[in-house]
Amino acid sequence: MNLVGIGRPVGSLKAACRHVRHVKASYRGIATAQTRDSTSKWVTAHSQQQRADIKKVSKFAIWPTLPSVTTNPMPALREQQVAKLDPTGARTRLFSKEHADSAKVGDVLMVTPKSGEPFAGAFIQIRRQGVDTAIQLRGQLMKTSTEMWFKIYSPTVAGIDIIWRRPKRARRARLTYMRKPKHDMGSVDQLVFKWKKERYALRSKAAGQQGKHR
């Protein structure tokens, strides 16, 4: 089968297809070469811009990266605050779980504020939150049962004293059942009066012994 091409004769269809493939390959090679030239020019321009930027940045001091904090800083901060508010550690020992002579739930405590009347009542529960550790006392004011919260590290609290110790240790951490009339201790004024009397006697005895030594 003979074909007539434009410009010159072509022997067969197979030769014509081969000619077309060669033409396409030549066009593809030219386009690739042009693309490579443009890419190399763009890379050269980009590298020059990068070198210029690096030269500008090198004039400034670069500080090293700070190390990441892996430990929790809150316990150390709480200890510092507690040491500042309780330098002698008396309040911490008074409500510590490790000391045998510390206050336990069920005892009768008396909190003396810097301004106002002292409040005495049964030690119902404690809320341990570091510096915000607070105790709840249940007593009576004007023959009315009253419950009050006191923060043990508060600067407004002048002193906390143990008036009476429970003979048997309570099995619960919160003695909320003492709110019922059956278990309510009621007024603790008699216990406070007895404690003050014993304290006054001890002070008088100590003062008398000091006078004899002089």
Coordinates of all heavy atoms in Angstrom, one line a residue, residues 83-174:
A83 N 6.6 26.2 103.7 CA 7.7 26.5 104.5 C 7.7 28.0 104.9 O 8.1 28.4 106.0 CB 9.0 26.2 103.8
K84 N 7.2 28.8 104.0 CA 7.1 30.3 104.2 C 6.0 30.6 105.2 O 6.2 31.5 106.1 CB 6.8 31.0 102.9 CG 6.8 32.5 103.0 CD 6.6 33.2 101.7 CE 6.6 34.7 101.8 NZ 6.3 35.4 100.5
L85 N 4.8 29.9 105.1 CA 3.7 30.2 106.0 C 3.8 29.5 107.4 O 3.3 29.9 108.4 CB 2.4 29.8 105.4 CG 2.0 30.6 104.1 CD1 0.8 29.9 103.5 CD2 1.7 32.0 104.4
D86 N 4.6 28.4 107.4 CA 4.7 27.6 108.6 C 6.2 27.3 108.8 O 6.7 26.2 108.6 CB 3.9 26.3 108.6 CG 4.0 25.5 109.9 OD1 4.2 26.2 110.9 OD2 3.8 24.3 109.8
P87 N 7.0 28.3 109.2 CA 8.5 28.1 109.3 C 8.9 27.1 110.4 O 9.9 26.4 110.2 CB 9.0 29.5 109.7 CG 7.8 30.4 109.9 CD 6.6 29.7 109.6
T88 N 8.1 27.0 111.5 CA 8.5 26.0 112.5 C 8.0 24.6 112.2 O 8.5 23.6 112.8 CB 7.9 26.4 113.9 OG1 6.5 26.5 113.8 CG2 8.5 27.8 114.3
G89 N 7.0 24.5 111.3 CA 6.5 23.2 111.0 C 5.5 22.6 112.0 O 5.2 21.4 111.9
A90 N 5.0 23.5 112.9 CA 4.1 23.0 114.0 C 2.7 22.6 113.4 O 2.2 21.6 113.7 CB 3.9 24.1 115.0
R91 N 2.2 23.4 112.5 CA 0.9 23.1 111.9 C 1.0 21.8 111.0 O 0.1 21.0 111.0 CB 0.5 24.3 111.0 CG 0.4 25.6 111.8 CD -0.9 25.7 112.6 NE -0.9 26.9 113.3 CZ -1.5 28.1 112.9 NH1 -1.9 28.2 111.7 NH2 -1.5 29.2 113.6
T92 N 2.1 21.7 110.3 CA 2.3 20.5 109.5 C 2.3 19.2 110.3 O 1.7 18.2 110.0 CB 3.5 20.6 108.6 OG1 3.5 21.8 107.9 CG2 3.6 19.4 107.7
R93 N 3.0 19.3 111.4 CA 3.1 18.1 112.3 C 1.8 17.8 113.0 O 1.4 16.7 113.3 CB 4.2 18.3 113.4 CG 5.6 18.2 112.8 CD 6.6 18.1 113.9 NE 6.6 19.3 114.8 CZ 7.3 20.4 114.6 NH1 8.1 20.5 113.6 NH2 7.2 21.5 115.4
L94 N 1.0 18.9 113.3 CA -0.2 18.8 114.0 C -1.3 17.9 113.2 O -2.1 17.2 113.7 CB -0.8 20.1 114.4 CG -2.1 20.1 115.2 CD1 -1.9 19.5 116.5 CD2 -2.6 21.6 115.4
F95 N -1.2 18.1 111.9 CA -2.1 17.4 111.0 C -1.4 16.4 110.1 O -1.9 16.1 109.0 CB -3.0 18.4 110.2 CG -3.8 19.3 111.0 CD1 -3.4 20.5 111.4 CD2 -5.0 18.8 111.5 CE1 -4.2 21.3 112.1 CE2 -5.8 19.6 112.3 CZ -5.4 20.9 112.6
S96 N -0.3 15.9 110.5 CA 0.5 15.0 109.7 C -0.1 13.5 109.9 O -0.5 13.2 111.0 CB 2.0 15.0 110.0 OG 2.7 14.0 109.3
K97 N 0.0 12.7 108.8 CA -0.4 11.3 109.0 C 0.7 10.5 109.6 O 0.4 9.3 110.0 CB -0.7 10.8 107.6 CG -1.9 11.4 106.9 CD -2.2 10.8 105.5 CE -3.4 11.4 104.8 NZ -3.6 10.8 103.5
E98 N 1.9 10.9 109.6 CA 3.0 10.1 110.1 C 3.2 10.2 111.6 O 3.8 9.3 112.2 CB 4.3 10.5 109.4 CG 4.2 10.4 107.8 CD 5.5 10.9 107.2 OE1 6.4 11.5 107.9 OE2 5.6 10.8 105.9
H99 N 2.9 11.3 112.2 CA 3.1 11.5 113.6 C 1.9 10.9 114.4 O 0.8 11.1 114.1 CB 3.3 13.0 114.0 CG 4.5 13.6 113.4 ND1 4.6 14.0 112.1 CD2 5.7 13.9 113.9 CE1 5.8 14.5 111.8 NE2 6.5 14.4 112.9
A100 N 2.3 10.2 115.5 CA 1.2 9.6 116.4 C 0.5 10.6 117.2 O -0.7 10.4 117.5 CB 1.9 8.5 117.3
D101 N 1.1 11.7 117.6 CA 0.4 12.7 118.4 C -0.3 13.8 117.6 O -0.7 14.8 118.2 CB 1.4 13.4 119.4 CG 2.6 14.0 118.6 OD1 2.7 13.7 117.4 OD2 3.3 14.8 119.2
S102 N -0.5 13.6 116.3 CA -1.2 14.5 115.5 C -2.7 14.4 115.8 O -3.2 13.5 116.4 CB -0.9 14.3 114.0 OG -1.4 13.0 113.6
A103 N -3.4 15.5 115.3 CA -4.9 15.5 115.5 C -5.6 14.5 114.6 O -5.2 14.4 113.4 CB -5.4 16.9 115.3
K104 N -6.5 13.8 115.1 CA -7.3 12.9 114.4 C -8.8 13.3 114.3 O -9.2 14.1 115.2 CB -7.2 11.5 115.0 CG -5.8 11.0 115.2 CD -5.1 10.7 113.9 CE -3.8 9.9 114.1 NZ -2.8 10.7 114.9
V105 N -9.5 12.8 113.3 CA -10.9 13.1 113.2 C -11.6 12.5 114.4 O -11.3 11.4 114.9 CB -11.5 12.6 111.9 CG1 -11.0 13.4 110.7 CG2 -11.2 11.1 111.7
G106 N -12.5 13.3 115.0 CA -13.2 12.9 116.2 C -12.7 13.7 117.4 O -13.4 13.7 118.5
D107 N -11.5 14.2 117.4 CA -10.9 15.0 118.5 C -11.7 16.4 118.5 O -12.3 16.8 117.6 CB -9.4 15.2 118.3 CG -8.7 13.9 118.4 OD1 -9.2 12.9 118.8 OD2 -7.5 14.0 117.9
V108 N -11.5 17.0 119.7 CA -12.1 18.4 119.8 C -11.0 19.4 119.7 O -10.0 19.3 120.5 CB -12.8 18.5 121.2 CG1 -13.3 19.9 121.4 CG2 -14.0 17.5 121.3
L109 N -11.1 20.3 118.8 CA -10.0 21.3 118.6 C -10.6 22.7 118.8 O -11.8 22.9 118.8 CB -9.5 21.2 117.1 CG -9.0 19.8 116.6 CD1 -8.5 20.0 115.2 CD2 -8.0 19.3 117.5
M110 N -9.7 23.6 119.1 CA -10.1 25.0 119.3 C -9.2 25.8 118.4 O -7.9 25.8 118.5 CB -10.0 25.4 120.7 CG -10.4 26.9 121.0 SD -10.4 27.4 122.7 CE -8.7 27.4 123.0
V111 N -9.8 26.6 117.5 CA -9.1 27.5 116.6 C -9.2 28.9 117.2 O -10.3 29.4 117.4 CB -9.6 27.4 115.2 CG1 -8.9 28.4 114.3 CG2 -9.5 26.0 114.7
T112 N -8.0 29.6 117.3 CA -8.0 31.0 117.9 C -7.6 31.9 116.7 O -6.4 31.9 116.3 CB -7.0 31.1 119.0 OG1 -7.3 30.1 120.0 CG2 -7.0 32.5 119.6
P113 N -8.5 32.7 116.2 CA -8.1 33.7 115.2 C -7.5 34.9 115.8 O -7.5 35.1 117.0 CB -9.5 34.0 114.6 CG -10.5 33.8 115.7 CD -9.9 32.7 116.5
K114 N -6.8 35.7 114.9 CA -6.1 36.9 115.4 C -7.1 38.0 115.8 O -6.8 38.8 116.7 CB -5.2 37.4 114.3 CG -4.0 36.6 114.1 CD -3.0 37.2 113.1 CE -1.8 36.4 113.0 NZ -0.8 37.0 112.0
S115 N -8.3 37.9 115.2 CA -9.3 38.9 115.6 C -10.6 38.1 115.7 O -11.1 37.5 114.8 CB -9.5 40.0 114.5 OG -9.8 39.4 113.3
G116 N -11.3 38.2 116.9 CA -12.5 37.5 117.1 C -12.4 36.4 118.2 O -11.3 36.2 118.8
E117 N -13.5 35.8 118.5 CA -13.5 34.8 119.5 C -13.1 33.4 119.0 O -13.3 33.1 117.9 CB -15.0 34.7 120.1 CG -15.5 36.0 120.7 CD -14.7 36.3 122.0 OE1 -14.3 35.3 122.7 OE2 -14.6 37.4 122.4
P118 N -12.5 32.7 119.9 CA -12.1 31.3 119.5 C -13.3 30.4 119.2 O -14.4 30.7 119.8 CB -11.3 30.8 120.7 CG -10.9 32.0 121.5 CD -12.0 33.0 121.2
F119 N -13.1 29.4 118.4 CA -14.2 28.5 118.1 C -13.7 27.1 118.3 O -12.6 26.7 117.9 CB -14.6 28.6 116.6 CG -15.7 27.7 116.2 CD1 -17.0 28.1 116.5 CD2 -15.5 26.5 115.6 CE1 -18.1 27.3 116.1 CE2 -16.5 25.7 115.2 CZ -17.8 26.1 115.5
A120 N -14.5 26.4 119.1 CA -14.1 25.0 119.5 C -15.2 24.1 119.0 O -16.4 24.4 119.0 CB -14.0 24.9 121.0
G121 N -14.8 22.9 118.6 CA -15.8 21.9 118.1 C -15.1 20.6 117.7 O -13.9 20.5 117.8
A122 N -15.9 19.7 117.3 CA -15.4 18.4 117.0 C -14.8 18.4 115.6 O -15.3 19.0 114.7 CB -16.6 17.3 117.0
F123 N -13.7 17.8 115.5 CA -12.9 17.7 114.2 C -13.6 16.7 113.3 O -13.5 15.5 113.5 CB -11.5 17.4 114.5 CG -10.6 17.3 113.3 CD1 -10.9 17.9 112.1 CD2 -9.4 16.6 113.4 CE1 -10.1 17.8 111.0 CE2 -8.6 16.5 112.3 CZ -8.9 17.1 111.1
I124 N -14.3 17.1 112.3 CA -15.1 16.2 111.4 C -14.3 15.7 110.3 O -14.3 14.5 110.0 CB -16.4 17.0 110.9 CG1 -17.3 17.2 112.1 CG2 -17.1 16.1 109.9 CD1 -18.6 17.9 111.7
Q125 N -13.6 16.6 109.6 CA -12.9 16.2 108.4 C -11.8 17.2 108.0 O -11.8 18.3 108.6 CB -13.9 16.0 107.2 CG -14.6 17.3 106.8 CD -15.5 17.1 105.6 OE1 -15.2 16.3 104.7 NE2 -16.6 17.8 105.6
I126 N -10.9 16.7 107.2 CA -9.8 17.6 106.7 C -9.7 17.5 105.2 O -10.0 16.4 104.6 CB -8.5 17.1 107.4 CG1 -7.3 18.1 106.9 CG2 -8.1 15.7 107.0 CD1 -6.1 17.9 107.7
R127 N -9.4 18.6 104.6 CA -9.2 18.7 103.1 C -7.8 19.0 102.8 O -7.4 20.2 103.1 CB -10.2 19.7 102.5 CG -10.1 19.8 101.0 CD -11.1 20.9 100.6 NE -10.9 22.2 101.2 CZ -11.7 23.2 101.3 NH1 -13.0 23.0 100.8 NH2 -11.4 24.3 101.8
R128 N -7.0 18.1 102.4 CA -5.6 18.3 102.2 C -5.3 18.8 100.8 O -5.5 18.0 99.8 CB -4.8 17.0 102.4 CG -5.0 16.4 103.8 CD -4.2 15.2 104.1 NE -4.5 14.6 105.3 CZ -3.9 14.9 106.5 NH1 -2.9 15.9 106.5 NH2 -4.2 14.3 107.6
Q129 N -4.9 20.0 100.6 CA -4.7 20.6 99.3 C -3.5 21.6 99.4 O -3.5 22.7 99.0 CB -5.9 21.4 98.8 CG -7.0 20.5 98.4 CD -8.2 21.3 97.8 OE1 -8.2 22.5 97.8 NE2 -9.2 20.6 97.4
G130 N -2.4 21.1 100.0 CA -1.2 21.9 100.1 C -1.4 23.1 101.0 O -1.7 23.0 102.2
V131 N -1.2 24.3 100.4 CA -1.3 25.5 101.2 C -2.7 25.7 101.6 O -3.0 26.4 102.7 CB -0.8 26.7 100.4 CG1 -0.8 28.0 101.2 CG2 0.7 26.4 100.0
D132 N -3.7 25.3 100.8 CA -5.1 25.4 101.1 C -5.7 24.3 102.0 O -6.9 24.2 102.0 CB -5.9 25.5 99.8 CG -5.5 26.7 99.0 OD1 -5.1 27.8 99.6 OD2 -5.6 26.7 97.7
T133 N -4.9 23.6 102.7 CA -5.4 22.6 103.6 C -6.3 23.2 104.6 O -5.9 24.2 105.3 CB -4.2 21.8 104.3 OG1 -3.4 21.2 103.3 CG2 -4.7 20.7 105.2
A134 N -7.5 22.6 104.8 CA -8.5 23.2 105.7 C -9.1 22.1 106.5 O -9.1 20.9 106.1 CB -9.5 23.9 104.9
I135 N -9.6 22.4 107.7 CA -10.3 21.5 108.6 C -11.7 22.0 108.9 O -11.9 23.2 108.8 CB -9.5 21.3 110.0 CG1 -9.3 22.7 110.6 CG2 -8.2 20.7 109.7 CD1 -8.7 22.6 112.0
Q136 N -12.6 21.1 109.2 CA -14.0 21.5 109.5 C -14.3 21.1 110.9 O -14.1 19.9 111.3 CB -14.9 20.8 108.5 CG -16.4 21.2 108.7 CD -17.3 20.5 107.7 OE1 -17.0 19.5 107.1 NE2 -18.5 21.1 107.4
L137 N -14.8 22.0 111.7 CA -15.1 21.8 113.0 C -16.6 22.0 113.2 O -17.2 22.9 112.6 CB -14.4 22.8 114.0 CG -12.9 22.8 113.9 CD1 -12.3 23.8 114.9 CD2 -12.3 21.4 114.1
R138 N -17.2 21.2 114.1 CA -18.6 21.3 114.4 C -18.8 21.5 115.9 O -18.4 20.8 116.7 CB -19.4 20.0 114.0 CG -20.9 20.0 114.3 CD -21.6 18.7 113.9 NE -23.0 18.7 114.3 CZ -23.9 19.3 113.6 NH1 -23.7 19.9 112.5 NH2 -25.2 19.2 114.0
G139 N -19.4 22.7 116.1 CA -19.6 23.1 117.5 C -20.9 23.8 117.6 O -21.9 23.6 116.8
Q140 N -21.0 24.6 118.7 CA -22.3 25.4 118.9 C -22.0 26.8 119.1 O -21.0 27.2 119.8 CB -23.0 24.8 120.1 CG -23.8 23.5 119.8 CD -24.7 23.1 120.9 OE1 -24.8 23.8 122.0 NE2 -25.5 22.1 120.7
L141 N -22.8 27.7 118.6 CA -22.8 29.1 118.8 C -24.2 29.6 119.1 O -25.2 29.3 118.4 CB -22.3 29.9 117.6 CG -20.9 29.8 117.2 CD1 -20.6 30.5 115.9 CD2 -20.0 30.3 118.3
M142 N -24.4 30.1 120.3 CA -25.7 30.6 120.8 C -26.7 29.4 120.8 O -27.8 29.5 120.3 CB -26.3 31.7 119.9 CG -25.4 32.9 119.8 SD -25.2 33.8 121.4 CE -26.9 34.4 121.5
K143 N -26.2 28.2 121.3 CA -27.0 27.0 121.4 C -27.5 26.5 120.0 O -28.5 25.8 119.9 CB -28.1 27.2 122.3 CG -27.7 27.5 123.8 CD -28.9 27.6 124.7 CE -28.4 27.9 126.1 NZ -29.6 28.0 127.1
T144 N -26.8 26.8 119.0 CA -27.1 26.4 117.6 C -25.9 25.7 117.0 O -24.8 26.2 117.0 CB -27.5 27.6 116.7 OG1 -28.6 28.3 117.3 CG2 -27.9 27.1 115.3
S145 N -26.1 24.5 116.5 CA -25.0 23.7 115.9 C -24.5 24.4 114.7 O -25.3 24.8 113.8 CB -25.5 22.3 115.5 OG -26.0 21.6 116.7
T146 N -23.2 24.6 114.7 CA -22.5 25.4 113.6 C -21.3 24.6 113.1 O -20.6 24.0 113.9 CB -22.1 26.7 114.1 OG1 -23.3 27.4 114.7 CG2 -21.6 27.6 113.0
E147 N -21.1 24.6 111.8 CA -19.9 24.0 111.2 C -19.1 25.1 110.5 O -19.7 25.9 109.8 CB -20.3 22.9 110.3 CG -20.9 21.7 110.9 CD -21.2 20.6 109.9 OE1 -20.9 20.8 108.7 OE2 -21.8 19.6 110.3
M148 N -17.8 25.1 110.7 CA -16.9 26.1 110.2 C -15.7 25.5 109.6 O -15.2 24.5 110.2 CB -16.6 27.2 111.2 CG -17.7 28.0 111.7 SD -17.3 29.3 112.9 CE -16.4 30.4 111.8
W149 N -15.2 26.1 108.5 CA -13.9 25.6 107.9 C -12.9 26.6 108.2 O -13.1 27.8 108.3 CB -14.1 25.6 106.4 CG -14.8 24.4 105.8 CD1 -16.1 24.3 105.5 CD2 -14.3 23.1 105.5 NE1 -16.5 23.1 105.1 CE2 -15.3 22.3 105.0 CE3 -13.0 22.6 105.6 CZ2 -15.1 21.0 104.7 CZ3 -12.8 21.3 105.2 CH2 -13.8 20.5 104.8
F150 N -11.7 26.1 108.5 CA -10.5 26.9 108.9 C -9.3 26.4 108.1 O -9.0 25.2 108.1 CB -10.2 26.9 110.3 CG -11.3 27.4 111.2 CD1 -12.2 26.6 111.8 CD2 -11.3 28.8 111.5 CE1 -13.2 27.1 112.6 CE2 -12.3 29.3 112.3 CZ -13.2 28.4 112.9
K151 N -8.6 27.3 107.4 CA -7.4 27.0 106.7 C -6.2 27.0 107.7 O -6.0 28.0 108.4 CB -7.1 27.9 105.6 CG -8.1 27.8 104.4 CD -7.7 28.6 103.2 CE -8.7 28.5 102.1 NZ -8.3 29.2 100.9
I152 N -5.5 25.9 107.8 CA -4.5 25.8 108.9 C -3.3 26.6 108.6 O -2.6 27.0 109.6 CB -4.1 24.3 109.1 CG1 -3.4 23.8 107.8 CG2 -5.3 23.4 109.4 CD1 -2.8 22.4 107.9
Y153 N -3.0 27.0 107.4 CA -1.9 27.8 107.1 C -2.2 29.3 106.9 O -1.4 30.1 106.4 CB -1.1 27.3 105.8 CG -0.6 26.0 106.0 CD1 -1.1 24.9 105.3 CD2 0.5 25.7 106.9 CE1 -0.5 23.6 105.4 CE2 1.0 24.4 107.0 CZ 0.5 23.4 106.3 OH 1.0 22.1 106.4
S154 N -3.5 29.7 107.2 CA -3.9 31.0 107.0 C -3.2 32.0 108.0 O -3.1 31.6 109.2 CB -5.4 31.1 107.2 OG -5.9 32.5 107.1
P155 N -2.8 33.1 107.6 CA -2.2 34.1 108.5 C -3.1 34.6 109.5 O -2.7 35.2 110.6 CB -1.7 35.2 107.6 CG -1.6 34.6 106.2 CD -2.7 33.6 106.2
T156 N -4.5 34.5 109.3 CA -5.4 35.0 110.2 C -5.7 34.0 111.4 O -6.4 34.4 112.3 CB -6.8 35.3 109.5 OG1 -7.2 34.0 108.9 CG2 -6.6 36.3 108.4
V157 N -5.1 32.8 111.3 CA -5.3 31.9 112.4 C -4.1 32.0 113.3 O -2.9 31.7 112.9 CB -5.4 30.4 111.8 CG1 -5.5 29.4 113.0 CG2 -6.7 30.3 111.0
A158 N -4.3 32.4 114.6 CA -3.2 32.5 115.5 C -2.8 31.2 116.1 O -1.6 31.0 116.4 CB -3.7 33.5 116.6
G159 N -3.7 30.3 116.4 CA -3.3 29.0 117.0 C -4.4 28.0 116.9 O -5.6 28.3 116.7
I160 N -4.0 26.7 116.9 CA -4.9 25.6 116.9 C -4.5 24.6 118.0 O -3.3 24.2 118.0 CB -4.9 24.8 115.5 CG1 -5.2 25.8 114.4 CG2 -5.8 23.6 115.5 CD1 -5.1 25.2 113.0
D161 N -5.4 24.3 118.9 CA -5.1 23.5 120.1 C -6.0 22.3 120.1 O -7.2 22.3 119.7 CB -5.2 24.3 121.4 CG -4.3 25.5 121.4 OD1 -3.1 25.3 121.3 OD2 -4.8 26.6 121.5
I162 N -5.4 21.2 120.6 CA -6.2 20.0 120.8 C -6.8 20.0 122.2 O -6.1 19.9 123.2 CB -5.4 18.7 120.6 CG1 -4.8 18.7 119.2 CG2 -6.2 17.4 120.8 CD1 -3.9 17.5 118.9
I163 N -8.1 20.1 122.3 CA -8.8 20.2 123.6 C -9.0 18.8 124.2 O -8.8 18.6 125.4 CB -10.1 21.0 123.5 CG1 -9.9 22.3 122.9 CG2 -10.8 21.1 124.8 CD1 -9.0 23.2 123.6
W164 N -9.5 17.9 123.4 CA -9.8 16.6 123.9 C -9.5 15.5 122.8 O -9.8 15.8 121.6 CB -11.3 16.5 124.3 CG -11.8 15.2 124.7 CD1 -11.7 14.6 125.9 CD2 -12.6 14.3 123.9 NE1 -12.3 13.4 126.0 CE2 -12.9 13.2 124.7 CE3 -13.1 14.3 122.6 CZ2 -13.7 12.1 124.3 CZ3 -13.8 13.3 122.2 CH2 -14.1 12.2 123.0
R165 N -9.0 14.4 123.2 CA -8.7 13.4 122.2 C -9.7 12.2 122.3 O -10.1 11.8 123.4 CB -7.3 12.8 122.4 CG -6.1 13.8 122.1 CD -4.8 13.1 122.2 NE -3.7 14.0 121.9 CZ -3.3 14.2 120.6 NH1 -3.8 13.6 119.6 NH2 -2.3 15.1 120.4
R166 N -10.1 11.8 121.1 CA -11.0 10.7 121.1 C -10.4 9.4 121.6 O -9.3 9.0 121.2 CB -11.5 10.5 119.6 CG -12.6 9.4 119.4 CD -12.8 9.2 117.9 NE -13.8 8.2 117.6 CZ -15.0 8.4 117.4 NH1 -15.5 9.7 117.4 NH2 -15.9 7.5 117.1
P167 N -11.0 8.7 122.6 CA -10.4 7.5 123.2 C -10.1 6.4 122.1 O -9.0 5.8 122.2 CB -11.4 7.0 124.2 CG -12.3 8.2 124.4 CD -12.3 9.0 123.2
K168 N -11.0 6.2 121.2 CA -10.8 5.2 120.2 C -10.8 5.8 118.8 O -11.6 6.7 118.5 CB -12.0 4.2 120.2 CG -11.8 3.0 119.3 CD -12.9 2.0 119.5 CE -12.8 0.8 118.6 NZ -13.9 -0.2 118.8
R169 N -9.8 5.4 118.0 CA -9.7 6.0 116.7 C -10.9 5.7 115.8 O -11.4 4.6 115.7 CB -8.4 5.5 116.0 CG -8.1 6.2 114.7 CD -6.8 5.8 114.2 NE -6.4 6.4 112.9 CZ -5.3 6.3 112.2 NH1 -4.4 5.4 112.7 NH2 -5.1 6.9 111.1
A170 N -11.3 6.8 115.1 CA -12.5 6.6 114.2 C -12.1 5.8 113.0 O -11.0 5.9 112.5 CB -13.0 8.0 113.8
R171 N -13.0 5.0 112.4 CA -12.8 4.2 111.3 C -13.0 4.9 110.0 O -12.7 4.4 108.9 CB -13.7 3.0 111.3 CG -13.5 2.0 112.5 CD -14.4 0.8 112.4 NE -14.1 -0.1 113.5 CZ -14.8 -1.3 113.7 NH1 -15.7 -1.6 112.8 NH2 -14.5 -2.0 114.7
R172 N -13.6 6.1 110.1 CA -13.9 6.9 108.9 C -13.0 8.1 108.8 O -12.5 8.6 109.8 CB -15.4 7.3 108.8 CG -16.3 6.1 108.9 CD -17.8 6.6 108.8 NE -18.7 5.5 109.0 CZ -20.0 5.7 108.9 NH1 -20.6 6.9 108.8 NH2 -20.8 4.6 109.1
A173 N -12.8 8.6 107.6 CA -12.1 9.8 107.4 C -12.9 11.1 107.5 O -12.4 12.2 107.8 CB -11.4 9.8 106.0
R174 N -14.3 10.9 107.3 CA -15.2 12.0 107.5 C -16.3 11.6 108.4 O -17.0 10.6 108.1 CB -15.8 12.4 106.1 CG -14.7 12.9 105.1 CD -15.4 13.2 103.8 NE -14.4 13.7 102.8 CZ -14.7 14.1 101.6 NH1 -16.0 14.0 101.2 NH2 -13.8 14.5 100.8

